[in-house]
Amino acid sequence: MDNSKIGQHISGQFNRELEDIRNKVLTMGGLVEQQIELAIQAFTTNDMEMAELVIKQDNQVDAMEMDVDLECTQILALRQPTAFDLRLLLTVIKIINELEIVGDLAERIAKMAIQLSDTDTRNYQYYELQHMSDLVKEMLHGALDAFARMSIDDITAITGKDENVDREYDSIVRQLITHMMEDPRNITRTLNVLWTVRAMERIGDHACYICEHLIFMIKGEAVRHLSQEQLEEKMKG
Amino acid sequence: MDNSKIGQHISGQFNRELEDIRNKVLTMGGLVEQQIELAIQAFTTNDMEMAELVIKQDNQVDAMEMDVDLECTQILALRQPTAFDLRLLLTVIKIINELEIVGDLAERIAKMAIQLSDTDTRNYQYYELQHMSDLVKEMLHGALDAFARMSIDDITAITGKDENVDREYDSIVRQLITHMMEDPRNITRTLNVLWTVRAMERIGDHACYICEHLIFMIKGEAVRHLSQEQLEEKMKG
């Protein structure tokens, strides 16, 4: 683990503060990853206890965000950091916001699982859904891993997966629409599946936003709103 | 206009920098408000030029966000502000992020308008939709106005409207589901209306988030994830 960037302060106390923040972000990230994992499992296996757990975990995630946000604000006020340290703290504030949103999306999937739990026709399209969820989990994990290593060397490999996620999303939505047309009695139920797929697609987007924040943190350059091609070009240069 | 909070710095230059940031946020907010207005109009009147304009405006909104974000980061590095000034700058970074998301949602509504433009059965539920859009526009305008005045005295009146938005959202979604069941050939088209209503509901949420950021800025207290009742209680105290 390359700690060099945050290990060079004269004040050992400041080092410890930054290290503490970093560990908290990773703990929060780990919890959010678990939320996604459990939400999808609850959705596909009809496990309501698991769904309830995801909803409970979201309070924890919310509290963690507020805690780390406050800690960053206090360090900014007391230490008045500049250059990389300043960008690190501003980036952390943005990353925990993305994680909080991802936690909300996992919670939404868990709530959809609960709404769908009284129906028994559950086994279609779940293979595609599982595959899409694997992709977004990989993206989020990659983004958190890049943060842990403070390295953006492989960042475009992560953001590049979003095109696959979008393709799978479109394909599942088309199938769901066909399904609704074939049997209109299924519409309410199928809409809940649709919201779930949508939530998953958005988790992929937020993983990409985390990657963009990391690029700003490491390179000091804003790369929002670039296409994947533009981003790859930028990262080469 | 109460400028007292940002008018008391020894450095006139620093005052001007903060005033400049504040004006840019309000300009960005005005543009986003216009985007929503035009997107809804494009949607209800089938005006494709208007829809295209909203999509173009979104590039401007994106550029404004990046510009103000960078300016805030530079001021944080150079001026090393504390207390209210620090909270102001951190809050601005969050508010412009909310505005950028609202701009994206307006763009999405404009794109739905374009997708729906080749159908001619357009006149149902648009009354409800217009009413819901009036509500979310009021919320966003109120939040921006509170930022302009640096006052959170009426903030719970703004956040309180979100319950009405959610109620209208639920009611419209129920009608749309009925509509899909009655005529399954309409499903694809109705889903586009559904995404539009959903985008509008989310604009209301982001207006609330701006209000929460403003409470943090003025009072220095984090109020995320409180219910409307808890928030009202807090603001009394």
Side-chain angles (χ1 to χ4, degrees), chain A residues 209 212 222-227 230, chain B residues 27-29 31-32 35 54-70 96-107 111:
Chain A
Y209 300 154
E212 292 169 358
V223 294
R224 296 288 305 273
H225 316 298
L226 296 185
S227 68
Q230 289 169 320
Chain B
T27 306
M28 184 180 170
L31 185 58
V32 171
Q35 270 190 298
V54 174
I55 294 167
K56 267 196 208 109
Q57 282 175 325
D58 204 51
N59 296 329
Q60 250 179 294
V61 169
D62 292 349
M64 281 175 167
E65 191 212 358
M66 288 173 67
D67 175 43
V68 178
D69 191 291
L70 181 67
I96 57 175
N97 181 241
E98 307 294 354
L99 288 175
E100 192 262 331
I101 296 170
V102 173
D104 281 350
L105 292 166
E107 187 190 16
K111 284 181 176 167

Side-chain angles (χ1 to χ4, degrees), chain A residues 69 80 94 195 198 225, chain B residues 69 80 94 100 108 195:
Chain A
D69 191 291
Q80 312 200 318
K94 288 177 181 176
W195 296 132
R198 178 77 160 195
H225 316 298
Chain B
D69 191 291
Q80 312 200 319
K94 289 177 180 175
E100 192 262 331
R108 183 169 316 156
W195 294 133

Side-chain angles (χ1 to χ4, degrees), chain B:
Chain B
M1 210 147 35
D2 172 21
N3 286 338
S4 61
K5 287 195 186 62
I6 59 174
Q8 53 201 215
H9 302 102
I10 297 163
S11 157
Q13 174 64 22
F14 187 19
N15 273 348
R16 278 190 294 278
E17 286 168 5
L18 293 182
E19 195 54 42
D20 179 52
I21 294 242
R22 186 174 154 229
N23 289 334
K24 280 185 177 162
V25 173
L26 291 173
T27 306
M28 184 180 170
L31 185 58
V32 171
E33 283 188 279
Q34 205 196 7
Q35 270 190 298
I36 303 174
E37 178 73 42
L38 294 179
I40 299 295
Q41 266 194 50
F43 191 85
T44 49
T45 64
N46 214 352
D47 185 331
M48 289 310 98
E49 275 177 42
M50 215 176 255
E52 294 292 350
L53 176 60
V54 174
I55 294 167
K56 267 196 208 109
Q57 282 175 325
D58 204 51
N59 296 329
Q60 250 179 294
V61 169
D62 292 349
M64 281 175 167
E65 191 212 358
M66 288 173 67
D67 175 43
V68 178
D69 191 291
L70 181 67
E71 206 168 322
C72 288
T73 308
Q74 284 168 341
I75 296 180
L76 284 168
L78 292 172
R79 303 283 176 186
Q80 312 200 319
T82 56
F84 178 79
D85 298 334
L86 174 61
R87 293 205 305 276
L88 171 72
L89 290 165
L90 293 178
T91 302
V92 163
I93 289 176
K94 289 177 180 175
I95 289 178
I96 57 175
N97 181 241
E98 307 294 354
L99 288 175
E100 192 262 331
I101 296 170
V102 173
D104 281 350
L105 292 166
E107 187 190 16
R108 183 169 316 156
I109 294 172
K111 284 181 176 167
M112 291 299 129
I114 292 172
Q115 290 208 22
L116 285 166
S117 66
D118 55 352
T119 59
D120 44 20
T121 49
R122 297 184 54 76
N123 296 316
Y124 79 106
Q125 264 129 17
Y126 287 172
Y127 170 74
E128 285 94 334
L129 218 136
Q130 190 72 55
H131 189 249
M132 186 179 166
S133 84
D134 286 345
L135 264 178
V136 300
K137 278 188 290 182
E138 277 171 36
M139 289 174 70
L140 183 64
H141 190 76
L144 289 168
D145 194 48
F147 176 76
R149 290 183 293 108
M150 300 267 158
S151 159
I152 51 172
D153 292 346
D154 306 321
I155 212 87
T156 53
I158 303 167
T159 55
K161 286 181 185 158
D162 204 41
E163 284 173 19
N164 296 337
V165 171
D166 290 348
R167 241 194 316 271
E168 298 211 4
Y169 170 76
D170 288 338
S171 151
I172 298 177
V173 169
R174 268 196 305 274
Q175 291 173 49
L176 291 173
I177 290 175
T178 307
H179 190 71
M180 285 193 268
M181 285 178 169
E182 282 167 1
D183 188 354
R185 287 165 307 172
N186 270 328
I187 286 177
T188 306
R189 198 191 150 276
T190 309
L191 276 180
N192 284 334
V193 183
L194 193 58
W195 294 133
T196 300
V197 184
R198 179 78 159 191
M200 217 118 68
E201 187 268 336
R202 284 185 56 210
I203 291 175
D205 289 342
H206 289 282
C208 285
Y209 300 154
I210 293 178
C211 292
E212 291 168 359
H213 297 320
L214 289 176
I215 295 172
F216 169 75
M217 178 177 85
I218 307 269
K219 282 171 79 98
E221 272 181 74
V223 294
R224 294 289 305 272
H225 316 299
L226 296 185
S227 68
Q228 175 67 13
E229 290 69 34
Q230 289 169 320
L231 193 63
E232 282 171 12
E233 201 52 46
K234 191 128 201 160
M235 295 305 291
K236 269 188 223 150

Side-chain angles (χ1 to χ4, degrees), chain A residues 67-85:
Chain A
D67 175 44
V68 178
D69 191 291
L70 181 67
E71 206 168 322
C72 288
T73 308
Q74 284 168 341
I75 297 181
L76 284 168
L78 293 172
R79 302 283 177 187
Q80 312 200 318
T82 56
F84 178 78
D85 298 335

